[in-house]
Amino acid sequence: MYRYDTYDQTLVDERVAQFRDQMDRYLGGRLPEEEFRPLRLQNGLYIQKHAPMLRIAIPYGMLSSRQLRALGEITRRYDRGYGHFTTRQNLQLNWPKLEDIPDILGELAQVQMHAIQTSGNCIRNTTSDQFAGIAQDEVEDPRPWCELIRQWSTLHPEFAYLPRKFKIAVSGAAEDRAAIQVHDIGLRLWHNENGELRFRVLAGGGLGRTPMIGDVVREDLPWQHLLTYLEACVRVYNQFGRRDNKFKARIKILVKALGIEEYRRRVDAEWAHLKDGSQTLNQAAVDTARAHFIEPERREIAEQAIADFERLRGENRAFSRFVTNNVSGHKVPGYKAVTLSLKRREHAPGDITADQMDTVAELADRYSFGELRVTHEQNLVLSDVAVDEIEALWQELEALGMANPTVGTLNDIICCPGGDYCSLANAVSIPIAQALQERFEDLDFLYDLGPLDLNISGCMNACGHHHVGHIGILGVDKKGEEYYQISLGGNATDDASLGKILGPSFYREDVPDVVDKVLKVYVEQRHEDERFLDTYRRIGLKPFKERVYAK
């Protein structure tokens, strides 16, 4: 993974010192609230419902075991002993004291981490495929490109005060696992017929109050022009995006208003001034970035070990369930990626305790070359596990309560913190997730349902990605009371779609029954081996609506 050079470390260290001085002046009454607010937001610090919230950046979801241990120690010393992984592959602390934030940032800097640009109207953390660099279907490793984007966008002097926040996602595989179509800018790496590397650039996607699927701005951007073209895209947004109404300020509104042809024309006009300029990438720059993502020294796995792994699957039903749902293919024969579920009804989806962080870091050292990935589904991945060690790893995860074999099922719920923590939320979301996990915990039933995304957001900001859940749940406020709106048919992958609202919203206690009725329609109507999403697309909303609202 990427290691800071002297420039990176100096920048982050100086930023900590700068914010420490700003915090001292604020706490001493020498810096008014209105002047402190933009300064704290530039360092990922929000003021939430119960306490400050600090959002820590995890670039493209990559973590080392050393960094995870440091996060565990920070949550133990400065928070309540746990952290929350978000859908942007970041980690949030919900209970730090304001006066401790500079010390937390200082300790993060010691392990090459920070909270810069995790909030505010700037280019946020670039996200990517959790299986980047190891996926069997990978066309090109997106991580070096993500790193080049990170370096370009960090403290970019022109883009510190955009009309609104700006999010970029990058995918380099045949299957989109980074939800690039619902980002402000989505990038897809591909090779043309001559084997030359190209980027497909999408713009104007996004969720929130006005969800939209992104349009293709340029199909075949040569890699040398990645940064200059991105600069042109963001410049057009910065110049023409609305600033008079925060609800209409995202790039998706601009692209919709202009039309993709006019937006493309303006980007090309801006790009004419930038193309072949100083930010044009050359092979040496890309090679330097690639050099940070070296292949680990994997041992050769014997054919017999692979055969033994398959035999164990056949002999142990519980292990087989874990492998089927939580273990993914790897580009190197004999190795797998193992997803650790952070979904248990005892805590909020994405939460992890300090003790679990320590233990997972140790497992990463012993089983995965000290490396982890954070998924936008709020789980963790050990990226390089030899097949002859997976059974032992599973046994240890079982003892930790982290071997929940439900990744990709109804129980693998994506959920924002909601009204329990977030001051923007209209309704709670964590209790909804817990009620659903309690209602639908039978593994045979979950496996029979097949792959199914259920996403929950506590407000229209859609941090829980409810618009792209096969089943989406949105908390709404009606005259001071919490209600929940159900949508069906959303999808964040290659054939992306936005869910359609089923009908009038429901009381909190009714949500599990409503979801149960939706699932019964699916089970009754599905064809053999048909996914929930496919059945929904074939039969439409009407049968679900009739069942749910039947008198």
Side-chain angles (χ1 to χ4, degrees):
M1 62 188 295
Y2 182 79
R3 308 287 184 199
Y4 281 11
D5 59 17
T6 304
Y7 174 82
D8 292 319
Q9 193 65 55
T10 301
L11 185 151
V12 171
D13 290 341
E14 289 181 351
R15 186 77 174 201
V16 172
Q18 181 189 56
F19 188 64
R20 188 181 296 280
D21 175 66
Q22 292 163 352
M23 179 67 82
D24 285 345
R25 285 188 283 139
Y26 172 71
L27 294 175
R30 289 172 286 128
L31 190 63
E33 175 66 39
E34 63 272 19
E35 292 183 24
F36 181 61
R37 183 175 183 276
L39 300 176
R40 64 173 169 78
L41 287 176
Q42 288 169 6
N43 289 278
L45 179 60
Y46 289 77
I47 301 300
Q48 285 288 24
K49 180 173 285 186
H50 304 295
M53 184 273 280
L54 182 66
R55 183 179 294 145
I56 298 165
I58 302 176
Y60 33 96
M62 291 199 70
L63 266 179
S64 70
S65 57
R66 178 177 176 235
Q67 290 172 325
L68 187 60
R69 282 193 186 88
L71 290 172
E73 186 56 29
I74 286 170
T75 62
R76 191 178 284 116
R77 190 181 315 149
Y78 298 105
D79 206 277
R80 294 189 177 180
Y82 70 94
H84 174 76
F85 286 111
T86 76
T87 51
R88 289 209 61 73
Q89 300 176 311
N90 293 316
L91 182 85
Q92 292 182 179
L93 306 183
N94 286 309
W95 301 98
K97 294 177 182 174
L98 205 58
E99 58 270 28
D100 288 338
I101 301 298
D103 288 339
I104 295 173
L105 295 178
E107 293 189 24
L108 288 172
Q110 292 175 17
V111 292
Q112 303 188 345
M113 300 188 78
H114 60 75
I116 298 168
Q117 292 186 200
T118 58
S119 59
N121 295 332
C122 55
I123 299 175
R124 301 287 187 89
N125 185 35
T126 296
T127 54
S128 189
D129 182 352
Q130 66 267 28
F131 301 129
I134 58 170
Q136 290 177 315
D137 66 339
E138 193 158 272
V139 175
E140 182 76 17
D141 186 350
R143 295 173 301 173
W145 305 97
C146 290
E147 175 53 31
L148 289 166
I149 294 170
R150 187 195 70 81
Q151 293 177 13
W152 161 75
S153 63
T154 299
L155 302 182
H156 193 302
E158 193 175 328
F159 303 142
Y161 292 99
L162 294 169
R164 281 288 281 143
K165 56 190 173 184
F166 199 88
K167 300 175 180 179
I168 300 173
V170 187
S171 173
E175 178 186 352
D176 175 18
R177 288 177 287 265
I180 62 171
Q181 294 184 67
V182 288
H183 276 75
D184 295 302
I185 292 285
L187 297 168
R188 190 73 171 266
L189 285 148
W190 62 286
H191 289 122
N192 66 14
E193 59 186 11
N194 297 320
E196 297 163 335
L197 187 63
R198 292 286 192 267
F199 281 93
R200 180 179 300 123
V201 183
L202 296 90
L207 301 176
R209 189 173 296 269
T210 312
M212 293 186 191
I213 303 292
D215 290 307
V216 175
V217 187
R218 180 168 283 271
E219 179 66 32
D220 59 349
L221 180 73
W223 61 265
Q224 294 88 344
H225 303 301
L226 172 65
L227 299 184
T228 58
Y229 195 77
L230 282 178
E231 183 119 350
C233 288
V234 186
R235 273 191 181 183
V236 170
Y237 167 56
N238 200 22
Q239 185 175 0
F240 298 103
R242 291 183 60 170
R243 295 175 187 270
D244 60 325
N245 184 338
K246 66 182 263 187
F247 301 121
K248 297 182 178 180
R250 298 291 292 270
I251 190 176
K252 59 190 175 186
I253 303 297
L254 175 67
V255 172
K256 180 76 172 178
L258 295 175
I260 189 62
E261 295 295 335
E262 175 60 16
Y263 175 72
R264 183 185 296 120
R265 186 193 69 76
R266 296 189 188 199
V267 169
D268 286 345
E270 191 65 44
W271 192 37
H273 305 297
L274 298 165
K275 187 180 179 185
D276 299 321
S278 61
Q279 293 191 92
T280 303
L281 293 169
N282 56 31
Q283 193 61 53
V286 176
D287 289 345
T288 299
R290 280 200 181 113
H292 289 283
F293 302 94
I294 57 175
E295 292 288 313
E297 294 185 8
R298 303 181 182 96
R299 61 186 167 85
E300 188 170 342
I301 307 299
E303 289 292 331
Q304 185 59 47
I306 298 173
D308 289 344
F309 168 71
E310 295 299 334
R311 178 180 54 76
L312 280 170
R313 285 185 70 179
E315 294 174 350
N316 187 327
R317 189 182 185 204
F319 180 57
S320 179
R321 281 174 161 166
F322 177 77
V323 172
T324 298
N325 286 281
N326 296 39
V327 177
S328 304
H330 198 289
K331 68 180 183 181
V332 177
Y335 280 82
K336 302 284 185 183
V338 178
T339 300
L340 282 53
S341 173
L342 299 182
K343 311 296 173 62
R344 296 169 61 191
R345 60 187 164 93
E346 294 84 0
H347 57 64
D351 275 11
I352 181 170
T353 68
D355 290 344
Q356 286 175 322
M357 289 189 214
D358 287 346
T359 308
V360 171
E362 183 187 342
L363 294 176
D365 284 337
R366 287 163 46 206
Y367 293 101
S368 186
F369 303 99
E371 182 186 305
L372 301 111
R373 314 290 180 86
V374 182
T375 79
H376 83 268
E377 294 94 353
Q378 301 174 290
N379 291 315
L380 289 174
V381 171
L382 298 180
S383 54
D384 278 273
V385 184
V387 292
D388 55 5
E389 295 183 320
I390 291 178
E391 201 266 349
L393 171 62
W394 169 68
Q395 296 280 8
E396 296 201 48
L397 291 173
E398 279 277 279
L400 285 169
M402 298 184 72
N404 194 8
T406 56
V407 171
T409 71
L410 175 71
N411 235 328
D412 190 17
I413 295 172
I414 292 176
C415 181
C416 74
D420 287 310
Y421 296 98
C422 180
S423 57
L424 299 176
N426 293 320
V428 297
S429 51
I430 295 169
I432 299 293
Q434 292 171 325
L436 290 169
Q437 286 170 324
E438 185 174 4
R439 177 70 167 268
F440 304 106
E441 63 180 356
D442 180 82
L443 290 178
D444 288 330
F445 178 67
L446 292 174
Y447 292 159
D448 179 62
L449 290 176
L452 209 161
D453 296 339
L454 193 152
N455 301 354
I456 307 172
S457 297
C459 75
M460 286 302 294
N461 288 310
C463 292
H465 293 187
H466 66 279
H467 295 298
V468 288
H470 301 163
I471 300 174
I473 300 175
L474 168 66
V476 294
D477 176 86
K478 291 185 177 180
K479 298 180 179 178
E481 283 195 84
E482 292 182 358
Y483 286 83
Y484 294 86
Q485 191 178 76
I486 310 294
S487 58
L488 302 180
N491 183 36
T493 58
D494 293 290
D495 53 347
S497 56
L498 302 172
K500 291 185 177 178
I501 297 169
L502 190 62
S505 52
F506 305 92
Y507 291 116
R508 183 204 298 190
E509 56 269 26
D510 294 333
V511 172
D513 286 339
V514 172
V515 173
D516 185 58
K517 290 176 183 176
V518 167
L519 296 175
K520 280 188 167 66
V521 173
Y522 161 58
V523 171
E524 292 166 7
Q525 301 261 6
R526 66 181 170 184
H527 291 169
E528 188 175 358
D529 296 329
E530 196 174 45
R531 301 177 306 166
F532 175 88
L533 186 63
D534 297 328
T535 301
Y536 166 80
R537 287 175 172 173
R538 179 171 54 79
I539 68 177
L541 200 64
K542 187 178 177 183
F544 296 98
K545 192 168 188 172
E546 288 176 345
R547 179 69 62 87
V548 169
Y549 294 101
K551 297 292 183 184

